[in-house]
Amino acid sequence: YISTVRPCSNGEGVFFYPQSPKARSIVGKRYRTDYHFQPPKNWINDIFGSMYYNGVYHEFYQYNPNGSYNPNISYNIVWGHSVSMDLINWINLEPAIEPDTPSDISGCWTGSATILSGDQPIIIYTGLLDIQKHQVQNIALPKNRSDPYLREWTKAHNNPVIQPVVPGLNSSQFRDPTTGWIGPDGLWRIAVGAELNGYSAALLYKSEDFLNWTRVEHPLYSSNSSNMWECLDFFAVLPGSGGGLDLSSAIPNGAKHVLKVSMNCTDDMYMIGVYDLKRDAFVPDTVLDDSRLWPRIDYGNFYASKSFFDSKHGRRIIWAWSSETDSSSDDVAKGWAGIHSIPRTIWLDSHGKQLLQWPVEEIESLRTNEINHQALELKKGDLFEIKGIETLQADVEIDFELTSINDADPFDPSWLFDTEKHCREAGASVHGGIGPFGFVILASDNMEEHTDVHFRVYKSQQNYMVLMCSDLRRSSLRPGLYTPAYGGFFEFDFEKERKISLRTLIDRSAVESFGGGGRVCIMARVYPVALVDDIGCAHMYAFNNGSATVIVPQLRAWSMRRAQASV
């Protein structure tokens, strides 16, 4: 298959699309999303940094100005730049940072934006010195702070400000500095992802002015879970509070900290713990030797996530890159590649154990043509068609209420090591006790093509466990696509909550789902043939294939308008 790990490879793949200009145009338009972020053309991937400054949201991202192929191959990586007033409708600008100095001549890679005292925005980013990918950290500042869009940026005269002069450090695995935070001594701190003596490390640096940096002798945190962490994120959260915390201000008592790492080119994992001020170190609440058991920000096609504090609404927002899962040659045929997820509000649950996420409320401004169904009863084998909305661009919210928990099948803890495998083995057509029940979308008339998002409920020794799957295996009749069955588990307390919620945002080739109030999130990419060929229409259903009857107390769905994009 064609792997989603293509940013880490140079494979060219084969053409699966018809190659006439007209066919390419049709394909590019039909699969192009209408309200997920993507520039007018060309390749994007990692979110480099985001910030809210003087009434404007800024997004910086990896961009190839020369085409829709992976820029890592040609070492032509720039900082793309777009701005918005509402996180939904975007204005595309010229690149903010380009490789034109010795400290970044082979590419401008991931970094972060921080707002210093005196309302001064600043960017710290990784520069590539040569084709061997030796990496250093650089600074850039806006040329004109009175420009509301901050179109032009100037590089610091003392770049590189951080060099890989650490014993045991792999200089080609030293990148992606975090947003800065204030330490107990009043100095700024950042963490940089690194391979140190063959292990993963978040190296810690401190500075008085954000221009001159000193390495702290010990890492913020390190682990032998892999040999490299990239795209680090480190932020504070308050248990049970939907609000965000500003890292440039004092962190309140009772706050936890989150260390998010990207690894294996596929997984965004996180740890919750405390920031020990005396030791100047992150201390996880739980240390799991096997990283397969670490919680994930998202269990699907969601990588290199980056969060920022939104001072306008007092919330923390996170989003990420979602790669194409057809071939790199198909990307060239489309003329574009890569999208970003919907921006999500992220916060810590009241127990202080799990991050929760939900689409920013601004996305609801695109809703239109609402339909509403109540008190639906779904018995085993029932399929209820949802009509009256645009099924290719929709926002759907469904609550499933369990009438009984007695039929729950036993939970096997070994499933946690490979949830995708379990989702493949326990697909939507495999009958169970409680579940599978859920949602079928982008279904062709004869159901040869369809994507399903569904739940199963299991009884563990302590509680109940809910498996959420987003199964793409029959999403397209096209050959050569990567069509996994993504999945993740979350705990469910039947005594306190009898409803399991599901929200899915459908945007042509993007399917973004939030289960259990945002406890499991799954981003997916699909390429139905029917979407290109205009064969019939795409159908949408609620279904139940479990022995136990499931009630749908409420089903609400909307067509989604196209977001406004300006060049």
Side-chain angles (χ1 to χ4, degrees), residues 399-471:
D399 288 335
F400 297 96
E401 185 173 329
L402 307 183
T403 57
S404 170
I405 206 74
N406 296 329
D407 293 329
D409 295 321
F411 173 70
D412 183 345
S414 69
W415 294 336
L416 294 171
F417 290 93
D418 193 345
T419 53
E420 290 191 18
K421 177 183 177 183
H422 188 54
C423 282
R424 292 193 301 269
E425 294 172 346
S429 61
V430 179
H431 300 297
I434 303 178
F437 57 85
F439 188 39
V440 176
I441 57 175
L442 299 173
S444 58
D445 291 340
N446 57 9
M447 291 287 279
E448 282 188 321
E449 289 187 322
H450 67 268
T451 297
D452 64 79
V453 185
H454 66 263
F455 299 108
R456 288 177 181 267
V457 181
Y458 296 99
K459 177 70 172 74
S460 69
Q461 290 184 345
Q462 293 80 24
N463 214 326
Y464 293 93
M465 298 291 289
V466 177
L467 173 67
M468 176 178 164
C469 300
S470 183
D471 192 342

Side-chain angles (χ1 to χ4, degrees), residues 292-513:
R292 291 177 297 174
L293 298 177
W294 293 8
R296 301 186 188 186
I297 299 292
D298 187 290
Y299 289 82
N301 183 344
F302 183 98
Y303 193 68
S305 60
K306 182 73 74 174
S307 76
F308 72 99
F309 176 69
D310 176 9
S311 58
K312 180 179 181 180
H313 294 289
R315 60 189 174 179
R316 180 158 292 274
I317 291 172
I318 193 167
W319 49 351
W321 164 50
S322 184
S323 66
E324 304 303 311
T325 54
D326 47 6
S327 76
S328 52
S329 296
D330 291 333
D331 296 342
V332 175
K334 297 194 299 268
W336 56 267
I339 66 171
H340 289 164
S341 69
I342 294 298
R344 307 169 178 180
T345 303
I346 186 168
W347 69 101
L348 185 61
D349 71 4
S350 58
H351 302 292
K353 294 182 179 180
Q354 184 176 19
L355 293 175
L356 306 176
Q357 300 166 76
W358 202 248
V360 293
E361 60 184 11
E362 288 88 337
I363 195 66
E364 297 172 15
S365 66
L366 300 179
R367 288 172 167 176
T368 186
N369 301 332
E370 179 182 359
I371 61 167
N372 194 322
H373 296 280
Q374 296 179 342
L376 301 176
E377 184 180 64
L378 297 178
K379 298 180 180 179
K380 182 178 179 180
D382 281 353
L383 199 66
F384 176 81
E385 185 163 9
I386 303 164
K387 299 180 178 181
I389 60 169
E390 170 54 74
T391 54
L392 302 180
Q393 293 169 220
D395 184 357
V396 184
E397 296 186 6
I398 310 179
D399 288 335
F400 297 96
E401 185 173 329
L402 307 183
T403 57
S404 170
I405 206 74
N406 296 329
D407 293 329
D409 295 321
F411 173 70
D412 183 345
S414 69
W415 294 336
L416 294 171
F417 290 93
D418 193 345
T419 53
E420 290 191 18
K421 177 183 177 183
H422 188 54
C423 282
R424 292 193 301 269
E425 294 172 346
S429 61
V430 179
H431 300 297
I434 303 178
F437 57 85
F439 188 39
V440 176
I441 57 175
L442 299 173
S444 58
D445 291 340
N446 57 9
M447 291 287 279
E448 282 188 321
E449 289 187 322
H450 67 268
T451 297
D452 64 79
V453 185
H454 66 263
F455 299 108
R456 288 177 181 267
V457 181
Y458 296 99
K459 177 70 172 74
S460 69
Q461 290 184 345
Q462 293 80 24
N463 214 326
Y464 293 93
M465 298 291 289
V466 177
L467 173 67
M468 176 178 164
C469 300
S470 183
D471 192 342
L472 317 184
R473 288 176 297 168
R474 298 186 65 184
S475 59
S476 179
L477 293 175
R478 284 181 53 203
L481 301 176
Y482 178 54
T483 54
Y486 298 119
F489 281 97
F490 63 89
E491 293 187 7
F492 180 72
D493 189 341
F494 184 69
E495 299 301 323
K496 295 181 180 179
E497 48 182 344
R498 295 191 171 222
K499 296 178 184 177
I500 300 174
S501 68
L502 174 61
R503 182 178 181 184
T504 296
L505 295 164
I506 305 154
D507 191 5
R508 297 185 172 269
S509 65
V511 177
E512 193 165 359
S513 299

Side-chain angles (χ1 to χ4, degrees), residues 33-34 54 60 77 95 120 152 245 289 345 375 413 421 471 528 531:
T33 62
D34 274 346
N54 284 351
F60 303 99
I77 302 170
Q120 171 66 62
E152 297 182 83
L245 296 176
D289 293 333
T345 303
K421 177 183 177 183
D471 192 342
L531 187 56

Side-chain angles (χ1 to χ4, degrees), residues 75-110:
Y75 305 99
N76 187 36
I77 302 170
V78 307
W79 272 52
H81 185 196
S82 295
V83 294
S84 173
M85 306 302 164
D86 59 5
L87 290 168
I88 304 301
N89 303 287
W90 291 91
I91 299 170
N92 190 56
L93 304 177
E94 291 298 312
I97 306 174
E98 299 180 275
D100 56 8
T101 63
S103 61
D104 62 15
I105 196 63
S106 291
C108 301
W109 279 19
T110 302

